[in-house]
Amino acid sequence: MNNTIQNLKTFYRTPVTPESFFISLEGIEGSGKTTQIKHLEEILKKKGYRVMTLREPGGTEFGEKLREAILKSSMPLHPMAECHLFLASRAQLLKEKILPFLLVPKSVVILDRYIDSTLAYQGKARKLGIQTVLELHRHDPLNLLPHRTYFLDISLETSHERQLKRGQEKDYFESEKTEFYSNLIDGYREMANLFPERILKIDASVSPEAVAKIIDEDLEKVLL
Ligand code: Z5A
């Protein structure tokens, strides 16, 4: 990883509110984010936390409109246009939901996809460059990093198998070619190496219960 990217890491901040916690989940389609989020919500509520679960793109009225515009787009967008749509959704979500909720004592925000999705999808798979995407996140409010990110790592084969089982219609990204997906997986793995103090890479090819156990054990260590 070059020095410029390492230097860019200094522009980021994590929330400093006592007792509040910000978690994101990352991974390719079918990696089990939604499945683990349900588990996380349950255990955090049992521990007495107020929990707000959100997804990206989306989570606000404006963000949901952008989600529809991107994922239902019938024409290929320029990667920079695509990237800015995700950032617009994110900035609004931070302003309307994430930042106010993190001020509530003993609160946890759980976010289904965040900055690492943009780094992996637009930075790596769409080839905008990791450095370019990091630079776009230098400014407030986009420079807020989660306390913890669970990266659910699966192979492309496992992702395909799980999608076949679900039998859903393909959306904007799901029609992409194998090269896009192998770059995407590389991008996520690169992010886990770039931010080892924040991102926990988990082998998510195992059962949902086994993945949940790893997350539970980690939470015991990282929660205040
Ligand atoms: N995107 C982007 O390009 N840039 C950005 O900055 C952002 C997003 C923020 C949003 O998709 C798209 O936007 C996404 C990236 C892009 N690209 N795509 N496609 P989305 O929100 O609609 O979809 P998703 O995030 O990919 O969700 P998903 O496909 O539903 O995946 P998931 O939530 O990780 O998986 P799941 O629903 O929990 O599980 C999938 C299936 O596998 C389900 O049947 C489960 O029962 C099963 N499952 C889950 N875990 C396991 C285990 N451990 N073993 C066996 N089976 C399992």
Side-chain angles (χ1 to χ4, degrees):
M1 199 59 59
N2 70 41
N3 271 339
T4 324
I5 290 184
Q6 284 298 342
N7 292 343
L8 271 170
K9 283 176 68 180
T10 58
F11 288 94
Y12 297 98
R13 62 192 173 98
T14 43
V16 286
T17 332
E19 292 193 308
S20 68
F21 207 74
F22 181 12
I23 299 174
S24 63
L25 280 97
E26 294 283 358
I28 64 171
E29 295 99 274
S31 54
K33 298 182 300 314
T34 313
T35 309
Q36 295 306 324
I37 283 172
K38 285 189 199 126
H39 168 76
L40 265 172
E41 282 174 337
E42 260 175 47
I43 59 158
L44 287 166
K45 282 180 187 163
K46 272 193 204 146
K47 286 178 188 289
Y49 286 91
R50 288 166 203 232
V51 179
M52 182 184 269
T53 301
L54 298 160
R55 68 171 179 183
E56 279 208 5
T60 63
E61 201 183 325
F62 173 67
E64 290 298 325
K65 284 184 185 150
L66 289 180
R67 180 183 179 89
E68 181 85 11
I70 305 164
L71 299 184
K72 297 272 154 58
S73 176
S74 53
M75 71 192 104
L77 299 170
H78 188 285
M80 195 52 102
E82 194 181 283
C83 185
H84 277 87
L85 290 174
F86 286 112
L87 299 198
S89 171
R90 179 164 307 146
Q92 196 63 22
L93 187 65
L94 281 157
K95 174 187 177 286
E96 274 186 39
K97 301 273 176 80
I98 298 174
L99 291 168
F101 195 72
L102 287 173
L103 294 176
V104 176
K106 235 183 159 196
S107 60
V108 181
V109 170
I110 306 174
L111 192 43
D112 187 345
R113 298 191 177 280
Y114 191 58
I115 182 171
D116 303 297
S117 283
T118 326
L119 289 163
Y121 278 80
Q122 282 66 48
K124 191 77 181 186
R126 289 279 193 242
K127 303 189 169 126
L128 281 183
I130 299 296
Q131 187 169 335
T132 305
V133 176
L134 278 174
E135 272 164 4
L136 290 171
H137 283 84
R138 270 172 62 162
H139 303 287
D140 202 35
L142 293 174
N143 56 358
L144 189 82
L145 286 182
H147 292 102
R148 199 59 161 157
T149 298
Y150 296 114
F151 161 39
L152 307 184
D153 192 16
I154 56 168
S155 66
L156 190 50
E157 294 72 39
T158 305
S159 170
H160 282 155
E161 277 164 26
R162 291 185 189 169
Q163 282 175 62
L164 274 179
K165 270 196 200 153
R166 274 200 298 194
Q168 264 175 220
E169 245 179 67
K170 289 186 174 204
D171 73 16
Y172 181 68
F173 286 97
E174 284 153 2
S175 314
E176 286 295 340
K177 306 230 157 39
T178 307
E179 190 209 345
F180 175 91
Y181 280 101
S182 62
N183 286 338
L184 178 62
I185 294 172
D186 285 352
Y188 268 126
R189 292 178 182 164
E190 222 176 274
M191 289 313 100
N193 289 333
L194 181 60
F195 295 100
E197 63 296 332
R198 171 174 65 85
I199 303 180
L200 180 67
K201 176 159 99 71
I202 300 172
D203 173 3
S205 62
V206 296
S207 71
E209 295 73 24
V211 176
K213 189 165 176 280
I214 296 171
I215 293 180
D216 289 354
E217 284 168 2
D218 180 68
L219 269 185
E220 289 299 324
K221 288 186 232 146
V222 295
L223 277 180
L224 287 177

